[in-house]
Amino acid sequence: MSPSTITLLFLLFAVVMFVLEKIPLGVTSMIVCIGLVVTGVLDVKTAFAGFIDSNVILFVAMFIVGGALFETGMANKIGGIVTKFAKTERMLIVAIMVIVGLMSGVLSNTGTAAVLIPVVIGIAAKSGYKRSRLLMPLVFAAAMGGNLSLIGAPGNLIAQSALEELGLGFGFFEYAIVGLPILIVGILFYATIGYKLLPSHDVQDDGAFDTQKDFSDVPVWKQWLSLVILVFTLLEMIFEDKIGIKLCISGGIGALLLILTGVISEKDALKSIDLKTIFLFGGTLSLASALQSTGAGEMIAGKVIGALGENPSPYILTLVVFLLCCIMTNFMSNTATTALMVPICLSIAQGMGADPRAVLMACVIGGSCAYATPIGMPANTMVVGAGGYKFMDYVKSGFPLIIIATVVSMIILPIAFPFFP
């Protein structure tokens, strides 16, 4: 059997097991990761590279930073302040989505979610609302917000660098022409109809997110220092390009400062790391690597686009590119999806004599629609444990958002980015 066939079989196995959830998500990921090595599709180093991926380092660091915010009771304090302003659960959801969406427009969407997850769990604890109903809107808003600017998500810059080679490019806020309407409609959706689709789980407090503790004996300096270090970490992330320090290193500095200053003990820091998230994310990155290295991903894309014939209608092509990127991004990282699809989309555009910007805009926006699985983007994976989510929770809550994003994009894309200007 060819490596690409084996990879596609593992992809099928992963999808089925993730949906049925007969075995834990992290275990499924590890079966795929080790299976790809045993069958010779990937070497050991490539298969396990996901565990030293910069996002995994960021997860570990931010679990510790978030854990300190809990251990000291600062998350609950912040939660108390926020809940004074947002009187109902719907108002809270809207407030969280607006703040997260706008922040992730200029920050990494993973970084934004990582910083705000502990704050939102604190808000849930203080308000009495279930955290599972607040965390999912948070990660969806982080993904939608990534389409507000050139630096909102890595995929945006991949498309930009490909266009620059042709002497073209997008303006800093040009993605927002499509991204902002999607964010607005998405927020309105979860404040109304989508509100009923959000999962409602009672999550056992464990590890870092123990919100039932009595924090009266925690020194005030520890509470404030945990907040100061969180803000310091956030500022480092905002000015990532200026100071030249990567997100995962900024997170690592924050985590180390908290342990060295005694705000959180080493034991509590280790307890706050959600290993389920690490295994799920690290393991499934091997599948993304295999889809890329064996050409299986390219084969899927080539077959679908090839089925359109010689001169497909620009509308049909836009829709197909968009939907293909949507589907792939829910099983590969959105960065990997965009990296894979950009060269394919460029060659199609050039073959048709179409504006490459139009095709790549559809590719990037579609590639950001990773709402329907816990592995589509790092932020989704980060809340699996904290929200007590199952695979199907993402499908039920996130799939309608993909439909909304598709409809909004198909209205705006042909007008703002016509194929033949």
Side-chain angles (χ1 to χ4, degrees), residues 69-122:
L69 217 61
F70 273 92
E71 288 295 324
T72 59
M74 196 63 192
N76 280 29
K77 256 189 185 172
I78 297 167
I81 295 164
V82 174
T83 47
K84 278 180 189 163
F85 296 101
K87 298 294 180 196
T88 66
E89 192 178 38
R90 282 178 205 258
M91 280 171 71
L92 259 182
I93 288 169
V94 171
I96 289 166
M97 291 187 82
V98 169
I99 293 164
V100 175
L102 295 177
M103 273 178 71
S104 72
V106 288
L107 261 175
S108 135
N109 40 26
T110 307
T112 304
V115 169
L116 292 178
I117 285 165
V119 177
V120 168
I121 294 173

Side-chain angles (χ1 to χ4, degrees), residues 355-370:
D355 179 3
R357 286 164 29 97
V359 191
L360 289 196
M361 183 58 82
C363 169
V364 171
I365 302 289
S368 69
C369 293

Side-chain angles (χ1 to χ4, degrees), residues 208-286:
F209 302 129
D210 183 1
T211 51
Q212 305 305 316
K213 278 173 70 170
D214 175 22
F215 299 108
S216 55
D217 58 342
V218 177
V220 175
W221 70 267
K222 279 192 176 185
Q223 295 190 334
W224 283 104
L225 193 52
S226 71
L227 181 62
V228 167
I229 290 174
L230 176 77
V231 173
F232 163 75
T233 307
L234 177 62
L235 288 171
E236 272 188 285
M237 290 177 174
I238 292 173
F239 297 108
E240 180 189 11
D241 293 337
K242 300 271 191 300
I243 58 177
I245 298 175
K246 292 202 171 295
L247 296 181
C248 58
I249 303 299
S250 297
I253 293 168
L256 288 170
L257 282 174
L258 288 163
I259 296 167
L260 292 171
T261 53
V263 172
I264 188 170
S265 67
E266 184 196 13
K267 185 182 172 188
D268 286 334
L270 290 171
K271 196 172 73 175
S272 67
I273 299 166
D274 185 355
L275 287 176
K276 184 199 291 184
T277 298
I278 306 301
F279 281 115
L280 176 60
F281 190 75
T284 45
L285 278 185
S286 63

Side-chain angles (χ1 to χ4, degrees), residues 155-173:
N156 304 11
L157 291 167
I158 292 170
Q160 183 76 348
S161 59
L163 283 173
E164 280 169 358
E165 287 177 24
L166 303 173
L168 300 167
F170 291 121
F172 189 80
F173 286 115

Side-chain angles (χ1 to χ4, degrees), residues 322-323 326-327 330 369-372 398-407:
F322 188 91
L323 291 177
C326 270
I327 294 162
N330 279 286
C369 293
Y371 314 122
F399 186 69
L401 190 52
I402 292 179
I403 295 169
I404 287 167
T406 306
V407 172

Side-chain angles (χ1 to χ4, degrees), residues 6 10 29-42 47 286:
I6 295 169
F10 272 117
S29 291
M30 291 312 299
I31 291 171
V32 170
C33 180
I34 290 167
L36 288 166
V37 177
V38 172
T39 52
V41 173
L42 295 176
S286 63

